[in-house]
């Protein structure tokens, strides 16, 4: 299976896809979808669409510090396997939410 990440540009589409993909995780945790929070974080994070064999299947959102890229994933989400294959490592799990990180290479 060919997996690609492409920069996301369609906020409403990304929100709709994320909301539908995450619905079961939110329901299991009694979390209510917050559209305003999604929109606020859209501007703060790097947002990418995930394509599997040229079909959009998901959204991934990254945050950074000087040397590391971060993302958070629900513990039962099968995307964890994909992120590990792409070089992310699991660092912390709190209440079923896993933080993953990828160390950025330095060009020094």
């Amino acid at each position: 299976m060919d997996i690609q990440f492409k920069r996301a540009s369609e906020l409403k589409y990304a929100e709709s896809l994320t909301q539908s993909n995450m619905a079961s995780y939110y329901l299991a945790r009694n979390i209510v979808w917050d559209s305003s929070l999604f929109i606020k974080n859209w501007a703060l994070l790097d947002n990418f669409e995930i394509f599997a064999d040229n079909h959009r299947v998901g959204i991934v959102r990254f945050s950074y510090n000087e040397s590391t890229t971060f993302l958070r994933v629900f513990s039962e989400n099968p995307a964890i396997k994909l992120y590990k294959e792409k070089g992310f490592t699991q660092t912390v799990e709190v209440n079923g939410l896993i933080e993953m990180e990828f160390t950025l290479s330095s060009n020094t």
Side-chain angles (χ1 to χ4, degrees), residues 6-101:
K6 297 180 183 178
R7 188 164 297 280
S9 60
E10 300 175 43
L11 183 142
K12 286 299 178 187
Y13 176 81
E15 181 181 11
S16 176
L17 182 60
T18 302
Q19 186 177 13
S20 68
N21 283 355
M22 298 293 108
S24 63
Y25 306 121
Y26 276 54
L27 183 62
R29 291 167 175 81
N30 294 315
I31 300 172
V32 176
W33 181 261
D34 185 342
S35 184
S36 63
L37 182 60
F38 184 90
I39 293 167
K40 175 185 171 189
N41 285 330
W42 180 264
L44 300 174
L45 303 172
D46 273 349
N47 307 284
F48 291 86
E49 295 176 344
I50 302 171
F51 285 78
D53 295 329
N54 293 317
H55 298 289
R56 278 192 291 204
V57 296
I59 300 292
V60 63
R61 306 171 84 190
F62 300 111
S63 62
Y64 308 92
N65 70 17
E66 298 79 28
S67 63
T68 308
T69 301
F70 300 96
L71 58 92
R72 288 186 171 268
V73 186
F74 289 112
S75 60
E76 67 273 24
N77 190 327
I80 291 170
K81 180 180 177 194
L82 167 67
Y83 303 140
K84 286 182 177 180
E85 289 172 1
K86 295 295 183 181
F88 281 83
T89 57
Q90 180 176 332
T91 57
V92 177
E93 181 174 351
V94 177
N95 297 327
L97 194 60
I98 294 174
E99 183 174 278
M100 301 186 80
E101 67 179 34

